[in-house]
Amino acid sequence: MKINLPDKLYYSIGEVAKAFDVNTSLIRYWEQEFPIIKPKKNKKGNRYFTPEDIKNLQMIYHLVKEKGYTLDGARIALTTNSKISETVTIIDRLEFIKAELQKLKASLADRDSE
């Protein structure tokens, strides 16, 4: 899953939820369930996520939403498997390459039809 977020130091919970296409309540729930997600909070209690939090959320999203892990299974996988971060990075790169190849194929098909 490609996350579309600008380069910033902090992201609001709304930006994060929109990027992952989930509700803000799910992000808050994952924050309670996974100790690796530690957003900064201001005096009002608003959450601000760092790029490191976004990477951790990507791993959780990959395990729970794409691979179908339970929350307990995802928590165990995150603590025991150090290669999950690499796997998510590789999947993102491959998805990007696939999208670029599909664009190239479409442009070649359009050129041939002319």
Side-chain angles (χ1 to χ4, degrees):
M1 158 169 231
K2 181 66 179 159
I3 303 302
N4 237 357
L5 284 173
D7 288 336
K8 294 181 4 180
L9 292 177
Y10 296 100
Y11 303 94
S12 70
I13 193 166
E15 291 174 310
V16 174
K18 186 175 179 183
F20 283 96
D21 195 27
V22 297
N23 292 327
T24 56
S25 59
L26 181 63
I27 302 295
R28 287 192 296 272
Y29 181 67
W30 283 353
E31 177 191 344
Q32 292 173 355
E33 294 294 316
F34 295 94
I36 61 171
I37 301 173
K38 298 175 188 150
K40 310 286 185 231
K41 292 183 183 177
N42 64 10
K43 290 182 182 180
K44 291 170 64 175
N46 297 337
R47 291 164 174 82
Y48 292 100
F49 295 86
T50 64
E52 185 66 28
D53 290 325
I54 301 301
K55 288 178 187 175
N56 291 332
L57 282 167
Q58 266 186 300
M59 289 187 290
I60 293 166
Y61 184 92
H62 172 72
L63 291 172
V64 175
K65 295 287 188 177
E66 294 173 350
K67 289 292 197 177
Y69 280 53
T70 63
L71 293 181
D72 286 335
R75 197 177 303 108
I76 291 167
L78 287 170
T79 57
T80 60
N81 188 352
S82 61
K83 297 201 183 250
I84 290 176
S85 177
E86 291 175 31
T87 302
V88 170
T89 303
I90 290 170
I91 289 170
D92 282 345
R93 286 183 188 161
L94 289 173
E95 286 176 351
F96 175 76
I97 291 169
K98 180 181 177 182
E100 291 298 313
L101 288 172
Q102 288 173 338
K103 286 180 196 174
L104 184 61
K105 181 181 176 182
S107 70
L108 288 174
D110 289 345
R111 199 173 84 190
D112 288 342
S113 66
E114 292 175 354

